[in-house]
């Protein structure tokens, strides 16, 4: 019984490790994201955002590359989770 439990746990860990190694974005998507004409969008409503935006003008959610590092904006980011 213990052997079956350990074998099942081993298979589960191997399955998780395999899922963590897969990259959901292929090379074509990575290339398109790095192009200069790529536009940032709100992850909630998909509205285009200027690069200096901290909040989405359409839905009001926290956006931007540093909103989790700034203490004031972090409150809004955690509230959305």
């Amino acid at each position: 019984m213990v052997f079956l439990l350990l074998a099942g746990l081993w298979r589960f860990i191997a399955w998780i490790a395999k899922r963590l190694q897969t990259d959901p974005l292929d090379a074509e998507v990575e290339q398109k994201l790095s192009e200069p004409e790529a536009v940032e969008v709100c992850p909630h409503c998909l509205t285009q955002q200027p690069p200096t935006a901290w909040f989405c003008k359409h839905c009001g959610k926290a956006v931007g590359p540093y909103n989790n590092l700034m203490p004031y904006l972090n409150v809004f980011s955690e509230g959305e989770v």
Side-chain angles (χ1 to χ4, degrees):
M1 181 75 167
V2 173
F3 176 74
L4 290 176
L5 182 62
L6 289 175
L9 183 62
W10 178 259
R11 296 281 296 184
F12 179 71
I13 291 172
W15 178 74
I16 294 291
K18 183 179 177 184
R19 300 282 291 177
L20 291 176
Q21 291 175 354
T22 58
D23 187 14
L25 302 177
D26 58 357
E28 180 183 353
V29 173
E30 288 287 341
Q31 187 229 357
K32 286 185 179 184
L33 287 174
S34 63
E35 290 179 355
E37 56 269 355
V39 185
E40 294 183 26
V41 296
C42 174
H44 304 283
C45 66
L46 301 178
T47 304
Q48 292 184 0
Q49 300 293 319
T52 58
W54 286 3
F55 295 98
C56 178
K57 292 181 180 179
H58 184 259
C59 67
K61 303 287 184 173
V63 295
Y66 303 110
N67 66 344
N68 290 330
L69 301 175
M70 296 178 171
Y72 177 71
L73 297 176
N74 193 15
V75 172
F76 297 102
S77 179
E78 288 179 4
E80 295 171 8
V81 174

